[in-house]
Amino acid sequence: MNQQEILNTIALTRINYFTLSGLLELYRELGSATAVIEHRHNIKDILPNASQRLIDALQNLDEPLKRAEVEIEFDSKHDILPLCLIDPRYPQRLKDCPDAPLVLFYKGNADLNQKRIINLVGTRHCTLYGKDLIRKFISNLKYICPKVLIVSGLAYGVDINAHQQALENNYETVGVLAHGLDTLYPRQHITTSKKMVNQGGLLTEFLTQTNADKINFVRRNRIVAGMSDATILVESAAKGGGLITTEIAQSYGRDVFAFPGRIGDEYSTGCNNLIRDNGAALLTSAQDFVKAMGWEEDKVLDKAIQQGIERQLFPELNKEEQAIVNLLKKTNDLQTNIISVKTNIPINKLTSMLFTLEMKGVIKGLAGGMYHLLK
């Protein structure tokens, strides 16, 4: 990635910290931070509805650029990778979200665009029941789906238990932080965080010298939701950060699941209410989850590949399969949710059809839940 582009992207993040939408729209229109800066004096020509605040902010970039230089120097010394929105290593599931960060800072070794990514979220007051759910779910999931990236927020309770169980089961796990990578909150989780850097990673949108303020925890929830295929709520009171994450995941069109709990238990109330209101699918086991996501076919496909299935030269396609092929001919390498919207095929049905097309040798699954049409 071009160093000047990284510098410019960090600078843009600095000037428009709390009103990202206008800047993001301008960035997407022009295609890079460098182009935004080059056109900073004629923004209205490119984005007629640009706010005066955004226009004014772009006129003086001296301080933001100096701050960006300090950030890049720190990142270089501490093996932190800045990921701009146009970087192919940036989480592609998150990229198309309406409030995606212009840049993320990453310390770790996991691919953020793996084929399967989920997050587990919930209360910071995780009970023995919740801990047992996490332990059983992750260990059983590992048996059924060996390759899944587990994401959470490295907070107390559900988050830290999800990360620790992922590590114990040899899953890679990524913690999304509410502060810069020059510190860690809470400090009690520093031992786990060091393990995660070598078996997953730490990710944040915040520059160094950024405190773990309350609003930052809310902001980071959209990254947890946006970079995942599914959100799983383990335990939650009637209100809480986990419920905010499920709401964001719903707005992104992602799958949401919740474990039920005993009626009257404080930290089962949020889950039970969410299931009751059809905000989440009821979850009782890893098998339930894998079946709902259509991932049970992975084993069949892996076995078929190992046995050397030959590609059909002239595969017969039904009308809907042909619609998928026609879409990928126009725009190749699309995510499942985009294919669903463009073809008007429901996700649960589409998953099965994509698998069939893979078996026929027509398409190939890529990292990040994307599909590629084979020529």
Side-chain angles (χ1 to χ4, degrees):
M1 194 70 191
N2 181 281
Q3 281 295 106
Q4 188 62 49
E5 175 63 20
I6 294 172
L7 182 75
N8 291 339
T9 307
I10 295 173
L12 290 186
T13 300
R14 178 75 174 172
I15 66 166
N16 209 29
Y17 211 57
F18 296 106
T19 55
L20 185 60
S21 58
L23 182 55
L24 182 58
E25 188 178 357
L26 183 62
Y27 178 95
R28 284 178 167 155
E29 184 69 28
L30 289 169
S32 72
T34 303
V36 170
I37 290 176
E38 287 174 351
H39 290 83
R40 66 187 182 276
H41 299 304
N42 64 322
I43 295 172
K44 284 283 189 179
D45 295 339
I46 298 148
L47 196 67
N49 63 341
S51 69
Q52 190 59 46
R53 180 180 179 185
L54 177 58
I55 294 170
D56 293 342
L58 283 167
Q59 302 315 303
N60 189 353
L61 295 172
D62 291 345
E63 188 280 329
L65 285 169
K66 287 179 182 177
R67 180 64 181 86
E69 289 174 355
V70 172
E71 186 67 29
I72 288 177
E73 183 179 356
F74 180 91
D75 294 346
S76 178
K77 288 180 180 178
H78 296 86
D79 298 319
I80 296 169
L81 181 65
L83 296 174
C84 302
L85 194 64
I86 57 176
D87 192 317
R89 295 167 296 182
Y90 186 100
Q92 296 301 298
R93 293 167 177 84
L94 178 64
K95 183 177 180 179
D96 293 327
C97 295
D99 49 3
L102 286 181
V103 64
L104 293 168
F105 301 96
Y106 181 48
K107 187 177 179 67
N109 58 8
D111 177 6
L112 302 178
N113 289 297
Q114 296 184 32
K115 190 174 182 181
R116 310 297 188 205
I117 304 179
I118 65 172
N119 69 72
L120 277 73
V121 296
T123 179
R124 298 187 179 207
H125 306 281
C126 191
T127 69
L128 288 175
Y129 169 69
K131 293 176 183 178
D132 196 45
L133 284 178
I134 296 168
R135 179 182 61 79
K136 289 180 179 177
F137 177 80
I138 292 181
S139 63
N140 290 339
L141 184 66
K142 179 66 177 182
Y143 176 76
I144 306 169
C145 291
K147 295 181 180 179
V148 179
L149 178 63
I150 308 293
V151 177
S152 197
L154 204 64
Y156 293 111
V158 169
D159 290 16
I160 191 63
N161 276 276
H163 291 307
Q164 290 173 343
Q165 286 301 317
L167 291 171
E168 285 188 24
N169 285 277
N170 294 315
Y171 269 140
E172 291 180 323
T173 181
V174 169
V176 183
L177 308 180
H179 52 75
L181 286 173
D182 55 333
T183 186
L184 188 84
Y185 176 85
R187 295 296 296 175
Q188 289 89 329
H189 297 166
I190 194 164
T191 300
T192 300
S193 73
K194 288 179 179 178
K195 293 178 182 177
M196 291 168 64
V197 168
N198 295 311
Q199 191 179 319
L202 303 176
L203 186 70
T204 184
E205 70 174 307
F206 298 106
L207 279 66
T208 53
Q209 303 174 42
T210 302
N211 295 328
D213 296 329
K214 186 176 180 180
I215 186 64
N216 293 351
F217 288 96
V218 177
R219 285 173 61 85
R220 71 96 188 269
N221 289 347
R222 79 190 196 287
I223 299 174
V224 173
M227 67 182 291
S228 308
D229 296 306
T231 291
I232 299 173
L233 186 65
V234 179
E235 282 190 305
S236 174
K239 294 182 179 179
L243 287 169
I244 294 173
T245 306
T246 64
E247 185 178 346
I248 296 170
Q250 288 171 343
S251 74
Y252 292 161
R254 309 300 164 83
D255 291 288
V256 177
F257 300 84
F259 283 104
R262 188 171 60 183
I263 295 172
D265 284 3
E266 180 181 1
Y267 296 110
S268 291
T269 303
C271 292
N272 291 342
N273 290 349
L274 195 65
I275 295 167
R276 179 199 64 199
D277 298 336
N278 297 316
L282 186 147
L283 191 60
T284 61
S285 67
Q287 288 83 353
D288 281 354
F289 175 75
V290 170
K291 185 176 181 180
M293 295 297 292
W295 292 358
E296 76 276 7
E297 294 166 338
D298 279 6
K299 275 194 169 182
V300 179
L301 182 60
D302 289 343
K303 185 177 180 181
I305 291 171
Q306 289 171 8
Q307 292 174 348
I309 288 192
E310 294 184 6
R311 181 182 178 189
Q312 297 179 28
L313 294 178
F314 303 102
E316 293 184 6
L317 306 179
N318 62 34
K319 186 177 180 180
E320 289 178 315
E321 289 172 340
Q322 190 62 55
I324 296 170
V325 170
N326 291 342
L327 174 62
L328 292 175
K329 280 182 179 178
K330 293 180 180 178
T331 310
N332 212 350
D333 302 345
L334 294 176
Q335 289 180 321
T336 307
N337 58 330
I338 301 297
I339 297 173
S340 176
V341 171
K342 297 287 186 181
T343 60
N344 202 29
I345 301 173
I347 286 286
N348 57 347
K349 184 178 181 181
L350 178 63
T351 303
S352 178
M353 294 178 69
L354 291 170
F355 170 73
T356 301
L357 287 171
E358 281 195 83
M359 295 296 290
K360 289 180 177 180
V362 177
I363 63 174
K364 176 184 178 182
L366 303 176
M370 302 181 79
Y371 285 88
H372 175 79
L373 179 66
L374 298 171
K375 304 298 184 184

